[in-house]
Amino acid sequence: MGVDMTKFNNAHHFLSSSDSSASLTSSLQNIRHTLSEIKGQSQAMDRVLQTVGKVARSDSPVLINGESGTGKELIARAIHRLSQRVSRRFVAINCSAIPENLLESELFGHVKGAFTGAESRRKGYFEEAHGGTIFLDEIGDMPWRLQAKLLRVLQEKQFSPIGSNETKFADVRVVAATNVNLEKAVADKDFRLDLFYRLNVLPVRVPALHERKEDISVLLNHFLEESNKQHNFMNPAYFQPEVYQVLQNHRWPGNVRELQNLVERLVVITGGGRIAVDDLPPEYRHGKIDEPKVTKTLESQIQQDPVSSVDKAAPEGDLPELGINLTEYIEQLENSLILQALERTGNNKNRAAKLLGLNRTTLVERIKKRKLAPLNSPSREL
Ligand SMILES: Nc1ncnc2c1ncn2[C@@H]1O[C@H](COP(=O)(O)OP(=O)(O)O)[C@@H](O)[C@H]1O
Ligand SMILES: [Mg+2]
């Protein structure tokens, strides 16, 4: 098979070209800043974003690989946004959702009378995306015959609408995504080897969520904030600290999409306020860690003695098998306790501060810094 391996090899050289680590760090910061909609603090996500920054500078095809719900479309949009094509269109199409005969006309267009029902000419996505990027999601499901037509676009930058002899020029960058192993599809003769090589010029792998557990709490907070904004309950929803721990040990087969749906479901069902481990659907409670001693200890101490000393309130939580991020855990624990104190006192900062053994000023500063104030509760300040 006439496979042009030069481009393939060049791509790998391109991806591993050695930028100095300082410029990598600063460019990572820039990328993170520009792509602030992509949440995550894991090194795995850093590596993905670094790759995104590199592939965005090129105009070669990209193949994004990752389980369903990992954020492949988000990454594809990010590549477009960082590329020179940013001012032109980004057109997304899901190859598995459209029947074969329709897919061809959606992609390449047709002329009037090309087939029964083709009453007028239709522009295809390759024409509409001219100058921009086309995102071919679930490329593994593209029918064999169309794979050949796509290969022609990639190799010769040319295509013909259905029923036309006219050759059109395609100035389109192709970003494809798959959640199946395309190499296996090639071995099974479901996917053309030559097309695979053409697409896999710049491979980007988006790791599954369970491979980057550090992102779970960040994503939980992000979607919690989104849901809170959307519902605007009297008391914004918040997670009890144990919820973060328990969910960190979930396997997330549906990845970020599953997490997003779970948060929305919990916020709607609880109607605002605290979301505890027991509010989780049973299949999510597997990661439950014996007794949630940390909060219990602190909470009960505070109830018994509002001005309890640090010593008395020392948490005795068990360290989970897989470890925790201590700084983050403590911050979440604090946030949770502050919100509980605000909730219990009807947002009265003086009384909440007393409950927490803090100065009022310290409490107010912390609430501001972490944007914790219940959005909607009437302020009953003294
Ligand atoms: N790192 C992330 N930060 C914020 N939202 C994310 C992230 N990854 C995925 N999402 C969200 O999760 C959902 C699924 O992502 P999507 O890109 O459609 O996944 P895929 O294409 O891999 O199935 C979308 O709503 C997306 O915005
Ligand atoms: Mg998708």
Side-chain angles (χ1 to χ4, degrees):
M1 219 174 285
V3 176
D4 171 10
M5 291 295 290
T6 10
K7 228 172 178 184
F8 189 56
N9 293 334
N10 283 346
H12 287 274
H13 169 72
F14 170 72
L15 283 182
S16 58
S17 64
S18 52
D19 299 44
S20 79
S21 68
S23 78
L24 262 188
T25 322
S26 74
S27 69
L28 178 62
Q29 274 164 1
N30 287 341
I31 294 168
R32 276 206 171 280
H33 183 75
T34 316
L35 305 178
S36 59
E37 75 280 9
I38 302 182
K39 308 292 170 195
Q41 56 178 15
S42 61
Q43 282 183 3
M45 212 55 207
D46 278 351
R47 281 193 291 272
V48 171
L49 292 180
Q50 265 163 354
T51 308
V52 163
K54 288 182 185 181
V55 307
R57 282 186 243 140
S58 149
D59 208 34
S60 299
V62 178
L63 181 61
I64 305 175
N65 204 300
E67 287 178 15
S68 177
T70 45
K72 296 187 291 299
E73 181 156 352
L74 207 59
I75 295 294
R77 287 181 189 277
I79 292 170
H80 173 70
R81 271 218 295 132
L82 293 182
S83 79
Q84 288 176 344
R85 296 175 175 269
V86 60
S87 60
R88 310 304 285 269
R89 288 190 62 186
F90 174 91
V91 176
I93 180 161
N94 186 330
C95 301
S96 74
I98 304 168
E100 174 168 356
N101 51 349
L102 253 182
L103 185 61
E104 181 171 9
S105 118
E106 298 268 308
L107 287 174
F108 305 105
H110 62 248
V111 295
K112 188 177 170 186
F115 47 83
T116 329
E119 278 160 19
S120 57
R121 175 182 118 79
R122 185 199 190 285
K123 261 194 197 178
Y125 287 134
F126 272 99
E127 210 171 327
E128 282 179 10
H130 191 80
T133 305
I134 195 162
F135 174 55
L136 302 173
D137 201 0
E138 309 215 21
I139 189 80
D141 287 332
M142 180 169 276
W144 188 265
R145 199 175 54 81
L146 288 188
Q147 291 179 24
K149 212 161 165 171
L150 177 61
L151 184 65
R152 182 176 170 221
V153 181
L154 293 174
Q155 275 175 339
E156 296 158 27
K157 302 214 168 287
Q158 287 178 356
F159 67 96
S160 303
I162 307 175
S164 159
N165 293 324
E166 189 194 351
T167 297
K168 291 194 178 274
F169 172 65
D171 172 20
V172 176
R173 201 231 184 132
V174 173
V175 176
T178 178
N179 57 18
V180 299
N181 181 346
L182 275 191
E183 272 136 321
K184 185 173 176 298
V186 168
D188 294 345
K189 301 262 184 299
D190 286 331
F191 205 83
R192 297 179 63 118
L193 177 67
D194 44 9
L195 179 59
F196 171 68
Y197 279 142
R198 273 287 163 189
L199 287 173
N200 201 36
V201 172
L202 302 173
V204 177
R205 183 178 170 272
V206 188
L209 189 54
H210 70 82
E211 294 174 61
R212 43 182 167 116
K213 286 177 180 288
E214 310 91 293
D215 290 347
I216 293 172
S217 57
V218 180
L219 288 163
L220 284 170
N221 287 339
H222 166 65
F223 291 119
L224 182 70
E225 206 177 298
E226 296 280 298
S227 292
N228 273 333
K229 266 192 229 150
Q230 200 186 325
H231 297 290
N232 223 2
F233 293 124
M234 183 77 168
N235 294 312
Y238 66 93
F239 292 118
Q240 209 184 23
E242 290 75 22
V243 171
Y244 293 94
Q245 269 179 288
V246 169
L247 292 182
Q248 198 149 34
N249 295 324
H250 182 66
R251 197 165 182 290
W252 301 108
N255 296 290
V256 183
R257 186 174 295 112
E258 178 188 355
L259 184 147
Q260 180 177 16
N261 292 340
L262 175 73
V263 173
E264 171 67 7
R265 171 174 164 192
L266 288 169
V267 169
V268 168
I269 286 175
T270 52
R274 169 160 53 175
I275 298 171
V277 173
D278 288 340
D279 294 318
L280 299 176
E283 65 271 29
Y284 288 90
R285 289 184 223 143
H286 294 307
K288 196 165 174 176
I289 303 130
D290 294 341
E291 275 295 288
K293 281 181 192 165
V294 177
T295 316
K296 265 203 180 149
T297 314
L298 276 177
E299 258 177 347
S300 51
Q301 298 261 356
I302 288 163
Q303 267 162 10
Q304 283 159 14
D305 177 5
V307 283
S308 67
S309 70
V310 175
D311 275 349
K312 273 167 87 185
E316 291 167 17
D318 295 326
L319 180 64
E321 262 310 287
L322 297 160
I324 55 166
N325 177 332
L326 185 63
T327 317
E328 202 178 282
Y329 182 80
I330 288 172
E331 193 174 313
Q332 279 153 9
L333 183 61
E334 273 190 26
N335 291 352
S336 163
L337 291 171
I338 292 173
L339 280 165
Q340 287 178 57
L342 290 172
E343 208 176 66
R344 200 177 300 169
T345 59
N347 205 20
N348 180 316
K349 310 261 176 7
N350 274 329
R351 282 174 44 217
K354 268 194 196 129
L355 267 181
L356 296 166
L358 291 175
N359 287 330
R360 190 183 179 285
T361 349
T362 314
L363 176 66
V364 171
E365 267 168 17
R366 218 158 286 186
I367 290 169
K368 265 200 193 140
K369 195 167 149 218
R370 304 205 184 141
K371 302 196 179 90
L372 286 176
L375 291 173
N376 240 354
S377 64
S379 176
R380 282 178 241 155
E381 306 235 352
L382 293 175

